[in-house]
Amino acid sequence: MSKSQLSITSPVGEKLLNDIIALQPQFREMAGQTKADRKVAQANIDALQDIGFFLALQPRAYGGLEISPQEFFKCHLAIAEACMSTAWVAGIIAVHSFQIALMDKQAHEDVWGENIHTRTSSSYAPVGKVEVVDGGFKLSGRWGWSSGSDHCTWALLGAIVPGEGYRTFLVPKGDYEILDTWHPMGLDGTGSNDVVVKDAFVPEHRTHKQMDGFNLTNPGNAVSESVLFDIPWAQIFVRVVCTPAIGACKDALRLYKETAQKKVSIDPSKHSTDPSTLERISAAENTTDEMEAILMRNFDNMVNAVNAGEQVSVQERAKYRYQASLVIEKSMEVIDSLFSMAGGSSVLAGSDLQQRFLDIHTARAHVANNPTNFARNLGSLHLGLDNQDFFI
């Protein structure tokens, strides 16, 4: 079956980005409620559904837009410039359509057959207990950090199948309970609560093998009509938990410039004419620009490869994985530099710049944003050793 190729830009993607930019004032206005409620304001979720953001990476057969990853992440960045919690949740929910598209076609029908706007949360830590039974599996466990779970009716949950290895299990809301556990220092509005499952039956077709994702032997690839789904799944997912920080850095720079221009202080180093202030602004813009440029360059390379009918090499995948893991480290450098010179008002409750500081530092706690193991794996590949990371 001949598959449609991906265009890096499209009228659909451009319209989606413009619609999100038009929503930025709402996201900013609702940020206080999102923080107080510890979940994204329903008005934001409804608005994002109305413009089709959650359909961005969903198959066209089920109402999806199938835009390029570059267009998707431009939209993601624009949401994060207004509210990092909203972007974190929206990106994670939207990216799950990509993974579900890799599963058996019956899973597509289960989730989208009656409602193309069905939303899914996740928690991929391999903490579940699995029992192999006739036709599928029995799954039990408790998972943390299920971002946006209050806005979803399905969950993707990780576990190890005895004698086989890691799989993701797709579970409907009737088979799990959400525990209100999310009381963080930042990303308050992500509602990243715990999910509990007790002896739920999960049919074979609603699972996704990690090695299928790595080897690009996903059942859904046999029925997909676009090369979009030939891009390695992990490359898409790892970017949704770091890209919001790039948008937050952009907004932090805007906030810092506004503060520097109007600040009256007895500390001359905080004046807009101080060389240190000018250097921090330049460095922040440059680092943020570098992160976005690498993001887009990497997906340009991957889209070009799948359009040509080629696979992205393991070496390249490991490099892109490592570069994604560095985003939060670099974002912390940006926000720390700006926050440390922003003055006394930045430490008071309600400070927008402080919220960016807290959000970015909280994102560092996600396992995907710890570069240590990814650096070691990439270095090993350069020296001819075997790949040790199968989520790349």
Side-chain angles (χ1 to χ4, degrees):
M1 178 180 66
S2 178
K3 297 184 179 183
S4 61
Q5 294 197 334
L6 269 177
S7 297
I8 290 175
T9 61
S10 67
V12 173
E14 290 176 3
K15 182 181 185 304
L16 185 60
L17 178 58
N18 288 332
D19 287 342
I20 285 172
I21 291 171
L23 285 169
Q24 285 178 329
Q26 173 182 316
F27 298 154
R28 293 184 195 279
E29 181 181 348
M30 303 300 293
Q33 180 181 332
T34 290
K35 178 181 176 70
D37 293 347
R38 293 179 295 112
K39 62 181 179 182
V40 175
Q42 187 62 45
N44 290 356
I45 297 293
D46 292 343
L48 288 166
Q49 176 172 307
D50 289 345
I51 65 172
F53 180 74
F54 297 123
L55 301 174
L57 301 175
Q58 195 160 303
R60 284 199 183 97
Y62 295 93
L65 305 182
E66 291 187 4
I67 62 174
S68 70
Q70 296 93 317
E71 291 179 304
F72 174 75
F73 285 111
K74 285 179 182 178
C75 293
H76 200 205
L77 279 167
I79 301 170
E81 284 186 60
C83 176
M84 188 167 166
S85 283
T86 297
W88 182 278
V89 168
I92 286 174
I93 290 175
V95 83
H96 291 149
S97 293
F98 190 104
Q99 186 181 21
I100 294 169
L102 302 179
M103 294 182 177
D104 186 274
K105 185 173 175 59
Q106 185 56 53
H108 309 172
E109 286 292 323
D110 291 352
V111 176
W112 302 313
E114 295 183 3
N115 181 7
I116 64 168
H117 296 296
T118 300
R119 294 187 293 267
T120 305
S121 68
S122 68
S123 183
Y124 291 106
V127 296
K129 179 182 178 182
V130 178
E131 177 187 353
V132 180
V133 297
D134 187 33
F137 308 88
K138 281 285 185 70
L139 179 70
S140 297
R142 177 170 174 172
W143 292 259
W145 279 70
S146 188
S147 301
S149 50
D150 286 319
H151 297 294
C152 299
T153 53
W154 289 79
L156 290 158
L157 304 171
I160 303 295
V161 177
E164 177 197 287
Y166 184 90
R167 290 199 194 198
T168 306
F169 295 79
L170 178 60
V171 181
K173 194 168 186 177
D175 288 345
Y176 63 84
E177 177 186 4
I178 299 172
L179 301 184
D180 185 0
T181 56
W182 188 244
H183 296 274
M185 72 175 192
L187 292 176
D188 313 73
T190 62
S192 303
N193 291 308
D194 287 9
V195 169
V196 177
V197 176
K198 296 180 180 178
D199 291 325
F201 173 70
V202 183
E204 172 76 26
H205 71 264
R206 282 203 263 114
T207 69
H208 182 218
K209 298 178 183 177
Q210 182 182 59
M211 293 309 296
D212 278 345
F214 177 73
N215 293 320
L216 305 178
T217 53
N218 308 289
N221 289 132
V223 298
S224 66
E225 299 178 355
S226 170
V227 298
L228 170 63
F229 303 104
D230 294 337
I231 296 172
W233 145 244
Q235 297 294 331
I236 304 281
F237 177 79
V238 297
R239 281 292 183 173
V240 298
V241 293
C242 66
T243 300
I246 304 176
C249 284
K250 288 186 175 185
D251 198 53
L253 180 55
R254 176 188 67 83
L255 292 166
Y256 181 77
K257 288 190 294 184
E258 289 178 357
T259 299
Q261 287 172 324
K262 64 185 179 183
K263 180 170 290 299
V264 177
S265 175
I266 60 172
D267 182 351
S269 68
K270 292 183 171 63
H271 293 168
S272 61
T273 56
D274 181 76
S276 178
T277 295
L278 306 178
E279 290 169 3
R280 286 168 193 262
I281 289 172
S282 297
E285 180 179 46
N286 185 65
T287 301
T288 303
D289 193 48
E290 285 177 347
M291 291 189 289
E292 185 173 1
I294 290 173
L295 163 68
M296 296 302 167
R297 190 271 324 257
N298 291 355
F299 278 110
D300 284 348
N301 292 344
M302 286 186 270
V303 168
N304 288 339
V306 297
N307 276 341
E310 302 170 354
Q311 291 191 1
V312 184
S313 71
V314 170
Q315 181 91 15
E316 289 296 292
R317 288 157 69 173
K319 179 175 73 172
Y320 300 158
R321 180 73 174 89
Y322 172 56
Q323 289 173 331
S325 74
L326 290 174
V327 167
I328 301 299
E329 296 280 332
K330 292 179 179 293
S331 296
M332 288 194 300
E333 293 175 8
V334 170
I335 193 64
D336 289 359
S337 175
L338 299 178
F339 186 73
S340 66
M341 294 295 289
S345 62
S346 63
V347 304
L348 300 178
S351 163
D352 289 336
L353 188 61
Q354 178 191 135
Q355 190 63 55
R356 306 302 178 272
F357 175 90
L358 294 171
D359 289 344
I360 289 171
H361 278 266
T362 300
R364 179 59 176 79
H366 195 288
V367 63
N369 293 325
N370 182 348
T372 303
N373 290 331
F374 312 126
R376 292 170 180 170
N377 187 55
L378 177 59
S380 295
L381 290 172
H382 276 291
L383 297 178
L385 302 176
D386 291 337
N387 174 62
Q388 299 298 318
D389 185 1
F390 297 98
F391 195 67
I392 58 174

